[in-house]
């Protein structure tokens, strides 16, 4: 969708992470919040093979490295990738070859069927905003639609 169409439906603008590009808001008169994703825990010691199907998987891999994770390999997938049995079979074989465990994003983990989660760990995260937000109020219509949808 175009920025103009998106802004016409928006109640607020949330910018995640740092951007080197100027923010063009097309004269939007909406509250602006800046958020940063922050890990809430560090994985246990050991070797890991990471995989991620997010917009910029290399950011996830870099975060693991910055946390001191012993990352033996990393496998990027397209954003919103639907993992298949062969995908997990390949990843498990790769981890076994490295004597490692598999680690992924929390987003990818929750999207996997329970049967595929065996022996996987994820990096828990939270979003920290640059200023106080009332997310419950901001998201009230979305939450209400989900409950009735």
């Amino acid at each position: 969708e175009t920025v103009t169409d998106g802004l016409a439906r928006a109640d607020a603008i949330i910018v995640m992470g740092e951007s080197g590009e100027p923010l063009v808001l097309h004269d939007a008169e909406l509250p602006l919040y800046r958020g940063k994703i922050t890990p809430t825990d560090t994985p246990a010691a050991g070797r890991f093979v990471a995989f991620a199907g997010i917009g910029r998987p290399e950011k996830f891999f870099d975060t693991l490295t910055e946390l001191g994770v012993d990352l033996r390999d990393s496998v990027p997938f397209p954003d919103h990738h639907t993992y298949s049995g062969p995908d997990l079979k390949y990843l498990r074989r790769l981890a076994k070859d490295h004597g490692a465990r598999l680690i992924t994003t929390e987003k990818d983990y929750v999207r996997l069927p329970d049967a595929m989660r065996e022996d996987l760990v994820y990096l828990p995260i939270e979003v920290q905003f640059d200023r106080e937000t009332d997310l419950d109020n901001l998201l009230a219509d979305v939450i209400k639609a989900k409950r009735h949808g």
Side-chain angles (χ1 to χ4, degrees), residues 72-97:
R72 295 302 171 116
D73 207 343
S74 56
V75 182
F77 287 92
D79 196 12
H80 304 287
H81 182 71
T82 301
Y83 295 98
S84 66
D87 290 335
L88 269 291
K89 184 176 180 180
Y90 166 75
L91 291 165
R92 282 190 166 86
R93 182 73 195 159
L94 187 61
K96 184 177 180 185
D97 290 348

Side-chain angles (χ1 to χ4, degrees), residues 1 11 20 27 32 52 81 92 95 101 107 114 116 119 143 146:
E1 96 183 314
D11 296 311
D27 298 323
L32 173 67
H81 182 71
R92 282 190 166 86
R101 297 178 65 197
K107 174 187 167 188
D114 288 343
M116 289 185 172
D119 298 326
I143 293 168
K146 281 283 193 193

Side-chain angles (χ1 to χ4, degrees), residues 14-27:
I14 298 176
V15 178
M16 296 301 297
E18 300 296 323
S19 173
E21 300 176 20
L23 186 61
V24 179
L25 300 178
H26 300 272
D27 298 323

Side-chain angles (χ1 to χ4, degrees), residues 1-17 19 22-36 127-135 138-139:
E1 96 183 314
T2 66
V3 172
T4 303
D5 289 347
L7 289 173
R9 296 183 308 101
D11 296 311
I13 298 167
I14 298 176
V15 178
M16 296 301 297
S19 173
L23 186 61
V24 179
L25 300 178
H26 300 272
D27 298 323
E29 294 187 22
L30 297 168
L32 173 67
Y33 302 96
R34 292 187 180 273
K36 178 181 178 187
V127 176
Q128 295 180 339
F129 289 98
D130 63 336
R131 61 188 177 109
E132 192 66 31
T133 63
D134 182 359
L135 286 179
L138 187 63
L139 298 173

Side-chain angles (χ1 to χ4, degrees), residues 29-130:
E29 294 187 22
L30 297 168
L32 173 67
Y33 302 96
R34 292 187 180 273
K36 178 181 178 187
I37 295 173
T38 307
T40 59
D41 200 1
T42 303
R47 298 175 180 167
F48 288 91
V49 170
F51 69 98
I54 57 177
R56 293 173 49 204
E58 44 298 316
K59 283 185 69 176
F60 172 61
F61 306 145
D62 290 346
T63 297
L64 292 172
T65 301
E66 290 167 9
L67 289 172
V69 171
D70 183 357
L71 194 58
R72 295 302 171 116
D73 207 343
S74 56
V75 182
F77 287 92
D79 196 12
H80 304 287
H81 182 71
T82 301
Y83 295 98
S84 66
D87 290 335
L88 269 291
K89 184 176 180 180
Y90 166 75
L91 291 165
R92 282 190 166 86
R93 182 73 195 159
L94 187 61
K96 184 177 180 185
D97 290 348
H98 285 288
R101 297 178 65 197
L102 289 173
I103 187 167
T104 191
T105 66
E106 193 168 2
K107 174 187 167 188
D108 287 307
Y109 184 84
V110 299
R111 293 179 57 240
L112 289 168
D114 288 343
M116 289 185 172
R117 292 180 183 171
E118 186 179 331
D119 298 326
L120 297 181
V121 295
Y122 64 87
L123 182 67
I125 60 164
E126 68 181 10
V127 176
Q128 295 180 339
F129 289 98
D130 63 336

